[in-house]
Amino acid sequence: MADSYGYNSDYLRALFKKKTGLSPKNYIQQKRIELAIKQINETDLPLKNIAVNCGYDDYLQFTSYFKKKTGLSPIDYRKKSSEK
């Protein structure tokens, strides 16, 4: 991406972090989890499908990262959100 804008990758990363408060990688991961949460709350899609929709090829990686960021596994998050 940096090359397409004619910037050094470190410089572009620093600019991105200054604007968003996150590195590009962390920003993308945050957006993926936000999308997963939205799909868990608003659809009945199987969690494996949601993982794929959010860019995760590995369901275990998705569940691990989801739990790290939300404190709950996707299954527990769905159960809790359906109780509301």
Side-chain angles (χ1 to χ4, degrees), residues 4-67:
S4 65
Y5 289 103
Y7 291 117
N8 172 297
S9 61
D10 291 332
Y11 178 72
L12 186 60
R13 189 177 306 113
L15 279 177
F16 192 92
K17 188 167 185 170
K18 185 176 181 180
K19 286 284 187 188
T20 66
L22 298 168
S23 70
K25 180 181 176 180
N26 288 339
Y27 180 85
I28 290 168
Q29 289 173 333
Q30 178 179 312
K31 293 299 178 186
R32 286 178 169 180
I33 295 301
E34 288 172 6
L35 178 59
I37 288 169
K38 180 177 174 143
Q39 289 185 19
I40 289 169
N41 289 333
E42 297 178 4
T43 73
D44 291 327
L45 286 171
L47 295 171
K48 287 185 179 185
N49 291 38
I50 291 174
V52 170
N53 291 347
C54 296
Y56 292 92
D57 295 327
D58 181 346
Y59 181 70
L60 294 177
Q61 179 188 30
F62 167 70
T63 58
S64 174
Y65 192 75
F66 190 95
K67 187 171 184 174

Side-chain angles (χ1 to χ4, degrees), residues 65-83:
Y65 192 75
F66 190 95
K67 187 171 184 174
K68 180 180 174 184
K69 290 299 177 184
T70 67
L72 296 170
S73 69
I75 293 168
D76 291 339
Y77 192 92
R78 177 168 267 169
K79 287 177 188 175
K80 186 176 178 182
S81 69
S82 68
E83 293 173 357

